[in-house]
Amino acid sequence: MLQLANMLLTPVRAAVRDPELAVLVLPGGTDFSYRPFSRVQGSALRMYPFTASIQMRFGTRVRVRQAQYRVYGWNGGQASPMPHARAALDRLAADYPGVPIAVIGHSMGGRIAAQLGDDERVTDILALAPWWQFADWRQIHPGARVRAVHGEADTVTRARRTAKGIVELAARGLDAEYLAVPDGGHPMLDHIGLWHGSALRFVADALACHRPSVAGTTA
């Protein structure tokens, strides 16, 4: 598993020169903790299958990276993961200038994704059972496409709050949709096909949205 983690976290420049989409995967964490973040802790391991399946399904059309933070917790007003997440976004944008960037976050990673959504380089946001607090979704810029998936049996984060956020975003005119997972829990270990299928559809739709027009084509 550590070898897989190293492969997914190491930039590969030669394999993908001109991707159509860059994807930043954002693992979860917890509310308060200064424990150092580890690439082999549960929240990181949970996201490697998403990272790997997206890269394998779409090949050279996308470039996927999974973020790391310094510590495991959000830690109140410190928002500890945010500088590291923004640095990861900056690196991705620098490596693939002008390429649309999609962010996919689970739990605390969903909160990070919403806050990264104030950056117009982020064109697409997928929040998986997000830990949205204090209406984080209101930071998302109006041009973003937003999808949220939440388990109805989640006892860690609030599905109703996620649904409320999507309704509010749609009312603002954003392309925003919500998908409920019947009896779905927080760790995404149930209905695996639905969770992972949603992520793959999200990336496929992003590619379709941002597909460059062919010169000389007429309607």
Side-chain angles (χ1 to χ4, degrees):
M1 184 60 74
L2 181 57
Q3 182 180 8
L4 174 61
N6 287 331
M7 291 172 60
L8 295 174
L9 292 165
T10 302
V12 180
R13 299 176 187 274
V16 180
R17 293 187 178 182
D18 297 302
E20 298 172 37
L21 182 73
V23 181
L24 182 61
V25 177
L26 301 158
T30 191
D31 50 358
F32 285 95
S33 175
Y34 294 100
R35 176 163 59 91
F37 187 88
S38 168
R39 64 180 65 185
V40 294
Q41 68 191 39
S43 62
L45 293 174
R46 185 174 294 118
M47 300 310 291
Y48 291 136
F50 286 89
T51 301
S53 63
I54 291 168
Q55 190 66 76
M56 288 187 291
R57 170 69 65 88
F58 299 102
T60 57
R61 298 183 68 193
V62 304
R63 179 65 191 127
V64 190
R65 292 184 191 165
Q66 185 161 320
Q68 298 182 84
Y69 321 123
R70 185 178 65 84
V71 297
Y72 184 54
W74 182 267
N75 303 316
Q78 296 179 54
S80 297
M82 289 308 304
H84 306 280
R86 290 197 185 277
L89 177 64
D90 287 341
R91 287 193 297 271
L92 201 55
D95 287 343
Y96 307 107
V99 173
I101 298 176
V103 294
I104 298 175
H106 172 249
S107 192
M108 185 181 78
R111 184 176 193 185
I112 295 168
Q115 297 206 13
L116 289 180
D118 65 1
D119 191 318
E120 292 191 359
R121 295 174 298 181
V122 174
T123 57
D124 303 84
I125 297 167
L126 174 61
L128 301 168
W131 180 48
W132 279 351
Q133 299 287 304
F134 309 111
D136 293 296
W137 59 83
R138 292 178 184 170
Q139 300 187 48
I140 298 172
H141 71 82
R145 183 179 68 98
V146 185
R147 300 291 182 266
V149 185
H150 214 129
E152 294 180 336
D154 192 332
T155 59
V156 178
T157 57
R158 300 181 181 181
R160 288 185 180 180
R161 181 176 292 170
T162 300
K164 175 184 176 182
I166 293 297
V167 167
E168 185 176 310
L169 288 170
R172 282 174 49 199
L174 277 75
D175 179 358
E177 294 182 4
Y178 175 78
L179 175 64
V181 181
D183 301 318
H186 189 69
M188 304 187 298
L189 298 176
D190 48 64
H191 306 282
I192 291 175
L194 195 159
W195 290 104
H196 286 265
S198 296
L200 293 172
R201 283 192 298 274
F202 166 78
V203 173
D205 289 346
L207 285 167
C209 288
H210 303 300
R211 182 179 294 124
S213 59
V214 178
T217 299
T218 57

